[in-house]
Amino acid sequence: MNAIEQCQSLVKTIYDQFDASHDFQHIERVLMNAKAILAEEPTADHEVVEIAVLMHDVSDPKYSTDKADEERILAQLDVSSEKRVHIQNVVASVSYRGGNELPATTIEARIVQDADRLDALGAVGIARTFAFGGAKGRALYDDSEEARFDMSEEDYRGKSTASVTHFYEKLFLLKDLMKTEQGKRLASGRHQFMVEFIEQLKNERDGKL
Ligand code: ADP
Ligand code: NI
């Protein structure tokens, strides 16, 4: 078993316990996105990217209180100590945590970050957002939603009470944060689909369709 296969079998049981927004299917889609970006980034280290994707949500603070699982799994992997540190740094920089994350300085970190963000966009992004909101018992939308267009990102942070709010809080901002050319291309179609979805949702809510 190579280090990627070894990592996959160690992380799967952890993701199997998360709700549908962050389950192992999310990891499989992010891996596919990462491979599509890697195809255009010949200098990147595939092994670092793939292992970092597998590891990236293991210690997500929404599901875990410490980094014990991440550290235990990393320590078991059959990779050099330099690679282990590189993987750990990529994982620390992929999440969108309102500026608390490490900057994505390496090409591998940029690829994993874009691959993860792509899975927050488009039809899958919409499905995940309502899955997450459902798991938290949230309303679909907030009746004052339009007013939120004018709020700053900071105003939203931590205050989201309905699933649709998350589009304004985060999802509509992601297309301008993509780092790789392939990531930017894929994000733009997915972004447009979400804009149309929210438009349709508002029209249906208002009895216009
Ligand atoms: P990342 O995986 O980039 O760290 P998050 O874990 O914050 O990002 O979010 C991943 C996905 O989980 C979001 O794109 C969204 O679908 C869902 N999600 C996270 N936070 C919320 C929220 N407050 N409301 C609705 N959905 C959320
Ligand atoms: Ni993720």
Side-chain angles (χ1 to χ4, degrees), residues 1-8 31 34-35 38 41-56 74 76-84 86-88 90-91 107-109 111-112:
M1 216 171 21
N2 66 32
I4 297 171
E5 292 161 347
Q6 192 192 4
C7 185
Q8 177 150 333
L31 265 182
K35 286 175 186 169
L38 275 168
E41 302 288 347
T43 61
D45 183 326
H46 283 239
E47 191 178 39
V48 167
V49 168
E50 289 190 41
I51 293 176
V53 167
L54 290 167
M55 297 293 304
H56 86 277
L74 270 176
Q76 287 179 68
L77 298 180
D78 187 16
V79 291
S80 68
S81 58
E82 295 83 48
K83 228 174 221 204
R84 204 185 309 278
H86 190 168
I87 293 164
Q88 204 163 13
V90 172
V91 170
I107 182 64
E108 289 79 14
I111 292 171
V112 178

Side-chain angles (χ1 to χ4, degrees), residues 21-22 26 56-57 60 62 94-96 116 120 125 128-129 132-133 138 160 163 166 169-171:
S21 70
H22 290 79
H26 164 59
H56 86 277
D57 280 332
D60 186 317
K62 290 191 289 310
V94 289
S95 291
Y96 181 103
D116 189 33
R128 290 180 71 209
T129 299
F132 184 91
R138 293 189 176 154
S160 90
S163 297
H166 194 61
E169 168 182 66
K170 172 179 166 188
L171 305 183

Side-chain angles (χ1 to χ4, degrees), residues 20 67 88 100 114 135 141 158 162 165 170 180 193 199 208:
K67 294 204 171 234
Q88 204 163 13
N100 296 329
D114 277 10
Y141 53 82
T165 311
K170 172 179 166 188
T180 64
F193 185 83
E199 199 58 32
K208 289 184 186 159

